[in-house]
Amino acid sequence: MEELAKNIIVVGGSAGAYEVIVDILDHLPAYFSAAIVVVLHRNSKYETKVESSLSRRLNRKVTSVKDKLPILADNIYFAPPGYHLMVEPDHRFSLDISDPVQFSRPSIDVFFESVADVYKTNTTAFLLSGANTDGANGLKRLAELGAACYVQSPEEAKIDTMPKSGQKVSKNVTTLTNAKIITYFSLLT
């Protein structure tokens, strides 16, 4: 029987983040005890097939989140376009169609803030390339609650606005190169 994830790794990104996300996922070990959840800004008007193409590439299931889906260990989830993604106290996902935040739905801030309230110190967060400041407020909330928080080095980000905004929110946010981010994921147990 699959077990609920006790730890969660959250990744937020927008323009320029997809390539790094693919590199991260390419380097995952065969098993890891956390759940990995990616919030990537995507336009809901276009079908991207991100999850199915990554599932084929990785030879493992990459799931587009459905409402009330349990958050399981050793699983990779992507927020679906057009919905805010949140985490419920019972470690299930919920989807919401309220107004966009920072012109985005899904909003990284909305997701990170809900994760902070449920997983607290059992969270590791990464904020990657993007052209707006979405994710910075959520990263601040996670850092306040003791989560491990990282941003992609702005020098390596295709668009540095998002990681730079993440650097400014807390002295507890660490900047990592792409190589160090990939190494972190490759060493998951």
Side-chain angles (χ1 to χ4, degrees), residues 104-116:
S104 303
R105 190 176 54 216
S107 162
I108 300 165
D109 278 331
V110 168
F111 179 62
F112 280 11
E113 288 168 4
S114 84
V115 167

Side-chain angles (χ1 to χ4, degrees), residues 87-142:
V87 172
E88 299 291 335
D90 65 352
H91 292 222
R92 292 181 180 275
F93 291 112
S94 66
L95 300 176
D96 179 84
I97 58 168
S98 59
D99 290 339
V101 175
Q102 302 255 3
F103 308 101
S104 303
R105 190 176 54 216
S107 162
I108 300 165
D109 278 331
V110 168
F111 179 62
F112 280 11
E113 288 168 4
S114 84
V115 167
D117 292 338
V118 175
Y119 279 92
K120 299 177 177 51
T121 59
N122 294 326
T123 307
T124 303
F126 292 86
L127 188 59
L128 306 177
S129 177
N132 69 16
T133 61
D134 188 25
N137 290 333
L139 205 61
K140 179 180 179 185
R141 177 80 176 134
L142 283 161

Side-chain angles (χ1 to χ4, degrees), residues 10-73:
V10 296
V11 180
S14 189
Y18 184 73
E19 289 176 19
V20 176
I21 291 167
V22 171
D23 285 343
I24 287 167
L25 299 178
D26 273 343
H27 287 86
L28 287 173
Y31 173 83
F32 46 90
S33 60
I36 297 174
V37 186
V38 179
V39 177
L40 181 66
H41 292 166
R42 297 188 272 173
N43 190 326
S44 62
K45 294 178 183 173
Y46 305 100
E47 188 175 348
T48 61
K49 300 185 180 186
V50 166
E51 295 84 359
S52 61
S53 65
L54 284 173
S55 290
R56 280 191 305 278
R57 178 186 180 115
L58 302 171
N59 199 27
R60 68 182 304 150
K61 188 172 183 183
V62 176
T63 303
S64 178
V65 171
K66 306 280 188 237
D67 196 43
K68 306 305 177 205
L69 187 70
I71 303 169
L72 302 175

